[in-house]
Amino acid sequence: MQISFTLNGRPTTVDVEPATLVAELLREQLNLTGTHIGCDTSQCGACVVHLDGLPVKSCTLLAPALDGATLLTIEGLQGAPGSNQMHPMQEAFREHHGLQCGFCTPGMLMTAVALATEKPDLTEADVRHGLEGNICRCTGYQNIVVSVMAGAAAMNAAKGE
């Protein structure tokens, strides 16, 4: 079947089998490999993308659900329009050492951006609760939490400009 959707700000039309998962579509057909597959069971969060502005786990979402929708992947996350800058959350992860091996990072970033967008004045408890669906085997989470808090503050500051 053919589906049409907006992918990272660009109109996209692709042919997919009805049972194709969004993660498979992104990685195998569209060559967008930033969305990682860590578990295939919706447990680890490495595959988080934004569907119509909400975080979803792409390893359990069927591609036909994208028809008519807007999808944002890690490849589409960026700083100010027209700039060559990283998104404030990406910059915060870099600055505060919120990653080590990087496997979980795309999903962590996409979840963190959604958290900060939904609740601009995040507390540490909000961040820890909001990241419960994302697994990191390297960092121990402390630097991730610090990064999300700093990223949320930077996102708020950018809104005020």
Side-chain angles (χ1 to χ4, degrees), residues 4-13 30 32 69-72 75-76 78:
S4 296
F5 59 101
T6 302
L7 174 61
N8 298 332
R10 294 191 171 118
T12 303
T13 299
L30 300 174
L32 295 174
T70 299
L71 188 71
L72 179 68
E75 288 90 351
Q78 59 184 344

Side-chain angles (χ1 to χ4, degrees), residues 141-160:
Y141 294 96
Q142 184 57 36
N143 287 349
I144 292 172
V145 172
V146 170
S147 298
V148 174
M149 300 286 293
M155 287 171 62
N156 284 337
K159 284 181 200 174

Side-chain angles (χ1 to χ4, degrees), residues 25-158:
L25 171 66
L26 292 170
R27 293 181 62 81
E28 297 169 17
Q29 279 186 252
L30 300 174
N31 295 316
L32 295 174
T33 58
T35 299
H36 294 163
I37 301 171
C39 67
D40 281 331
T41 59
S42 194
Q43 299 296 311
C44 75
C47 68
V48 173
V49 295
H50 292 181
L51 178 62
D52 291 332
L54 298 174
V56 297
K57 294 183 177 177
S58 64
C59 73
T60 56
L61 181 66
L62 296 174
L66 299 179
D67 197 38
T70 299
L71 188 71
L72 179 68
T73 70
I74 191 68
E75 288 90 351
L77 199 62
Q78 59 184 344
S83 76
N84 198 21
Q85 298 175 337
M86 289 191 287
H87 187 277
M89 192 65 71
Q90 291 171 309
E91 182 60 36
F93 267 64
R94 185 193 65 74
E95 184 176 329
H96 297 280
H97 309 287
L99 60 112
Q100 280 186 11
C101 82
F103 191 83
C104 70
T105 305
M108 287 284 186
L109 283 165
M110 298 305 286
T111 300
V113 168
L115 284 172
T117 300
E118 180 183 321
K119 188 173 183 184
D121 296 322
L122 287 172
T123 65
E124 181 176 334
D126 293 330
V127 173
R128 290 188 181 280
H129 177 73
L131 293 178
E132 284 179 355
N134 294 75
I135 296 173
C136 175
R137 293 177 177 93
C138 300
T139 66
Y141 294 96
Q142 184 57 36
N143 287 349
I144 292 172
V145 172
V146 170
S147 298
V148 174
M149 300 286 293
M155 287 171 62
N156 284 337

Side-chain angles (χ1 to χ4, degrees), residues 10-22:
R10 294 191 171 118
T12 303
T13 299
V14 293
D15 291 320
V16 296
E17 293 294 324
T20 302
L21 295 170
V22 171

